[in-house]
Amino acid sequence: MSVSVRIPTILRTYTKGDSEVSVEGDTVASVIDALESDYPGIKARVVDETGALRRFVNVYVGTEDIRFADGLDTAIPAGQQVSIIPAVAGGAV
């Protein structure tokens, strides 16, 4: 199944500037593996050396944060988009 993945600006160097790409996969883990196959180096920016989602990266399937679903094993229903979103922190009040 082809899945549309939204790529944040910081990772677009891997996708030659594309903000959205299509890869094959039926779970978040398989989509990340497909991203790595098509855009080498991107996986290491999303998951750590143990294969866990990096703390400062959020991944959504549709509007659902995968941390509150099945993590990297979260299934991707047909027609849903995957979004990779870097965490934002900092600033002063």
Side-chain angles (χ1 to χ4, degrees), residues 49-73:
E49 57 282 344
T50 68
L53 188 64
R54 290 192 178 277
R55 186 170 50 101
F56 54 84
V57 175
N58 300 305
V59 177
Y60 289 82
V61 173
T63 59
E64 186 170 11
D65 186 337
I66 67 164
R67 292 181 202 272
F68 302 106
D70 293 326
L72 295 172
D73 293 328

Side-chain angles (χ1 to χ4, degrees), residues 30-45:
S30 64
V31 164
I32 291 172
D33 286 341
L35 282 172
E36 178 65 18
S37 177
D38 292 351
Y39 309 101
I42 198 168
K43 182 176 181 178
R45 302 293 302 269

Side-chain angles (χ1 to χ4, degrees), residues 23 53 78 80:
V23 295
L53 188 64
Q80 288 291 319

